[in-house]
DNA sequence: ATAAACCCTTCACCGCACTACAACGTCAAG
DNA sequence: CTTGACGTTGTAGTGCGGTGAAGGGTTTAT
């Protein structure tokens, strides 16, 4: 199986396959006499595993740590569970950030609807984004 | 006002102030005879505006487009409202993505709790992340 | 023989917001 | 006169997941 065929089979480009190889996510494949990479069906599953892990929000580095355990002969399950747990924490933290950002944007948009653009003229930026300053607070 | 004093006043570093200047977010300041940048109090408000806009989730490029309108003599309010509206859309879209990622992670973690690591041995990656595909059929 | 489509390697680049470093000039204090 | 903290410029690196081009070799079809 040539690299383009593997790429086609998994819906990626050849460049991405080589990129994963460089990153250590895919083992160096056998080479034909002409130097071409030669893959078998198991490579398809390896790439699909990478994509599954990515769709679970894992970074390539984290996925690399999973394959690394495999290469070392260890079972990665415990490590994977830890990664997923940490990732879930991170997702929830970012959800909280986005929720407060959403509230802030809604507040600013409500402001913008009852502010008169004519009052904006003297400001450095725009009065929608800067509080009518009483005592300083940024951020 | 020296650059370090401005930086101190707004809680940033001198490098960041210069970075904003290069990005066109801050106008080129007057220079003292020795070449040092000389700021006045209005620069403090300009920087604080940038930080306010950033805390509303705007990128530096977007903030630059706001200051750009100011430089051009236009009132940025309408543009700012548009940016905030689009940003809110983006935030909600990302919230939806994160919600489904959260659900997926919860599903996988539930899987991991009733999967036996011993069954993982023959896989390329880890059975927590790959659906059980029995010979031939799957999706 | 030649063109098109594939393969190879290496290197650079995208956006994002900084951050660090090199190599130098300036200024106030001791 | 030296020390140290400040200032100047330009360039490069960070993390993330690729993408693209340069410049070449191989294979297949005509």
């Amino acid at each position: 199986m040539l690299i383009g065929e593997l790429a086609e089979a998994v819906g990626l480009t050849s460049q991405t396959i080589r990129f994963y190889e460089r990153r250590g996510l895919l083992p160096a494949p056998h080479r034909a006499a002409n130097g071409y990479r030669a893959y078998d069906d198991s490579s398809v599953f390896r790439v699909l595993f990478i994509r599954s892990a990515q769709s679970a929000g894992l970074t390539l580095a984290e996925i690399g740590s999973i394959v690394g355990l495999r290469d070392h002969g260890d079972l990665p399950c415990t490590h994977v569970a830890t990664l997923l747990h940490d990732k879930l924490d991170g997702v929830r933290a970012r959800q909280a950030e986005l929720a407060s950002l959403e509230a802030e944007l809604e507040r600013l948009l409500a402001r913008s609807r009852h502010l008169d653009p004519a009052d904006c003229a003297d400001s450095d930026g725009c009065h929608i984004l800067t509080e009518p300053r009483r005592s300083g607070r940024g951020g």
Side-chain angles (χ1 to χ4, degrees), chain A:
Chain A
M1 198 182 209
L2 294 175
I3 192 172
E5 293 166 341
L6 172 59
E8 173 83 6
V10 298
L12 297 174
T13 68
S14 304
Q15 286 99 327
T16 304
I17 301 293
R18 292 192 200 98
F19 174 72
Y20 288 169
E21 183 184 327
R22 271 199 300 283
R23 275 282 203 278
L25 301 178
L26 292 175
H30 294 296
R31 298 292 183 131
N34 56 14
Y36 288 15
R37 290 171 178 81
Y39 297 97
D40 55 18
D41 288 345
S42 73
S43 299
V44 176
F45 293 114
R46 284 171 188 268
V47 177
L48 291 180
F49 169 75
I50 295 172
R51 303 304 278 187
S52 295
Q54 273 191 298
S55 73
L58 298 187
T59 66
L60 295 187
E62 289 163 341
I63 299 167
S65 72
I66 298 171
V67 228
L69 284 183
R70 275 267 177 240
D71 290 351
H72 194 255
D74 297 328
L75 293 179
C77 296
T78 308
H79 180 56
V80 168
T82 303
L83 285 176
L84 294 180
H85 182 80
D86 292 352
K87 194 60 60 177
L88 183 54
D89 284 351
V91 165
R92 286 176 175 157
R94 220 161 305 168
Q95 278 179 321
E97 287 173 8
L98 284 182
S100 77
L101 181 53
E102 181 188 24
E104 172 73 356
L105 286 169
E106 284 166 346
R107 188 181 70 83
L108 292 173
L109 282 168
R111 271 173 68 83
S112 80
R113 278 189 282 273
H114 70 76
L115 282 176
D116 187 350
D119 297 338
C120 202
D122 59 341
S123 169
D124 290 315
C126 173
H127 61 173
I128 297 175
L129 289 165
T130 53
E131 297 304 320
R133 38 185 102 80
R134 303 153 236 181
S135 49
R137 152 79 166 90

